[in-house]
Amino acid sequence: CLANMADRLAQIYGTEQDKVNCPFYYKVGACRHGDRCSRLHNRPTFSQTLLLSHMYQGPPPEMTETGYQVDPQKEASHFEEFYEEVFDELSNFGKVEELNICENLGDHMLGNVYVKFRHEEEAEKALLALNGRFYAGRLIVAEYSPVTDFREARCRQFEENTCARGGHCNFMHLKRPTKELLKKLGMDRKEDDRARGGGGFGGGGGGG
């Protein structure tokens, strides 16, 4: 009957069994196939979560005796400064519940920043304010994300140091801020559910 069919569709929505809707876009908010995907990307018209596409950029590699490399200490310092600056800016729009930064290498996830606000209205304020602005000289591209439960989006194998796909995994590999920074920002209460994620914000039309 129709009721049973509706229940079945609701149960498989966003799973591999769903042949209509893309499970990766539903769970992760990004799909390696992009607009060429054979399944639907149901873009939300409202959400608590925003995706700031490719916003995070690590420091450039430097020439060393063994070739071009990124200094781990400089990279950690660069990330912490980025995380704090972005958190402070986003907090102007409402209560930031999660701030997650991907370290995946795939084109569809590289440098992606996800921010989850407590209320949808706060996310809407941030979306309207950020689009058209610049960070570190690059245009900010913000959109609503379907992801509200990052436990489903994160790669558990990565967190256990066992992910065989490395940076090209299609689940989130999240950068971790230090406990000290999380405590400073008041985010240490849910640290286990958090994630790790220079520049400066600029207004629309400028190079910031």
Side-chain angles (χ1 to χ4, degrees):
C1 69
L2 289 176
N4 289 337
M5 184 182 297
D7 287 342
R8 168 66 177 165
L9 292 175
Q11 288 174 358
I12 67 172
Y13 182 84
T15 69
E16 284 295 338
Q17 294 174 289
D18 187 343
K19 301 304 180 185
V20 177
N21 302 287
C22 176
F24 278 105
Y25 181 76
Y26 177 69
K27 289 183 180 179
V28 184
C31 167
R32 65 188 176 92
H33 298 294
D35 293 336
R36 301 188 308 277
C37 185
S38 61
R39 303 188 203 185
L40 292 177
H41 293 180
N42 289 308
R43 301 183 185 278
T45 55
F46 54 86
S47 175
Q48 291 171 262
T49 306
L50 297 183
L51 164 62
L52 310 176
S53 298
H54 315 305
M55 185 178 177
Y56 177 73
Q57 285 190 311
E62 299 175 347
M63 188 62 181
T64 68
E65 294 179 355
T66 56
Y68 281 99
Q69 293 183 337
V70 175
D71 184 301
Q73 288 186 322
K74 288 185 178 179
E75 184 174 22
S77 175
H78 175 87
F79 170 73
E80 295 268 308
E81 290 174 6
F82 173 89
Y83 194 98
E84 183 173 3
E85 184 175 26
V86 171
F87 178 88
D88 287 344
E89 178 69 16
L90 293 171
S91 294
N92 291 326
F93 306 107
K95 175 65 176 176
V96 174
E97 293 203 330
E98 294 197 48
L99 178 60
N100 295 318
I101 290 94
C102 293
E103 62 176 56
N104 302 65
L105 300 177
D107 289 343
H108 61 301
M109 297 182 75
L110 182 67
N112 281 358
V113 175
Y114 293 82
V115 55
K116 179 182 176 182
F117 289 93
R118 177 170 292 174
H119 301 294
E120 292 173 351
E121 295 80 7
E122 297 167 342
E124 181 182 24
K125 282 167 52 180
L127 179 77
L128 295 173
L130 292 174
N131 268 326
R133 292 179 62 185
F134 287 76
Y135 182 85
R138 300 171 68 239
L139 185 67
I140 297 173
V141 179
E143 63 182 73
Y144 290 122
S145 171
V147 182
T148 54
D149 185 351
F150 286 90
R151 292 172 299 182
E152 293 293 316
R154 296 183 336 213
C155 175
R156 294 179 180 86
Q157 287 76 24
F158 171 73
E159 295 177 355
E160 297 168 356
N161 295 315
T162 60
C163 181
R165 295 192 58 122
H168 292 281
C169 178
N170 286 316
F171 286 96
M172 291 183 189
H173 288 193
L174 296 172
K175 297 177 73 66
R176 295 275 179 192
T178 61
K179 292 180 180 179
E180 291 77 15
L181 179 58
L182 290 174
K183 185 174 182 180
K184 179 181 178 182
L185 300 177
M187 299 180 73
D188 53 325
R189 294 179 303 280
K190 288 182 66 180
E191 181 187 341
D192 289 341
D193 291 333
R194 302 292 179 196
R196 222 181 156 174
F201 286 85

